Amino acid sequence: MKYKVKTLRGKRALVTVEFEEERFALAGELMLAERPFLRQIIRELENTRPNGNHGSFAGNAFSLSIAPDRTVIENEVNGASVTVPTDDLLKLAKAYQKQYESLKR
């Protein structure tokens, strides 16, 4: 999963994610829609990896079904879903959070 985390400046700055493969765009939508819950998402992703447990997250518009090797992202509004590597999603969430936190300063 290759991507770039960018800040779009305007009336209101937004952090976005551009993916090399369009099929992963839903992961970027997750980050934007659920940005107030990034810490919780990161915690859930981190908790599944070392111990092999499964986890889940349900936010305003998205839900995650987390396994140690892969995570299913589902848009609860339109039913779209994508499966991504859990490690890659964790790296994305941390990069997005870092960029997002820099806007709040």
Side-chain angles (χ1 to χ4, degrees):
M1 201 166 77
K2 294 185 180 183
Y3 56 84
K4 292 181 184 175
V5 178
K6 296 182 174 186
T7 300
L8 298 179
R9 304 279 178 192
K11 261 186 163 179
R12 188 171 173 213
L14 286 176
V15 178
T16 62
V17 184
E18 291 180 11
F19 291 89
E20 277 189 16
E21 293 181 62
E22 183 63 31
R23 67 187 180 111
F24 294 123
L26 203 60
E29 292 176 28
L30 163 73
M31 296 296 128
L32 182 62
E34 306 295 354
R35 63 190 178 274
F37 304 110
L38 285 171
R39 289 184 199 279
Q40 183 181 351
I41 291 169
I42 290 168
R43 188 170 45 248
E44 285 295 325
L45 291 167
E46 287 177 334
N47 286 340
T48 61
R49 291 173 47 237
N51 57 23
N53 289 336
H54 288 66
S56 63
F57 167 81
N60 294 322
F62 287 85
S63 64
L64 301 176
S65 297
I66 307 165
D69 60 335
R70 61 181 159 54
T71 297
V72 177
I73 301 169
E74 185 171 356
N75 181 319
E76 298 292 333
V77 176
N78 65 16
S81 67
V82 66
T83 301
V84 300
T86 298
D87 286 340
D88 289 350
L89 186 60
L90 177 58
K91 289 175 190 170
L92 170 60
K94 287 180 175 182
Y96 191 97
Q97 181 185 36
K98 182 178 179 180
Q99 191 105 359
Y100 178 64
E101 292 292 326
S102 72
L103 288 179
K104 293 169 46 176
R105 292 183 193 147

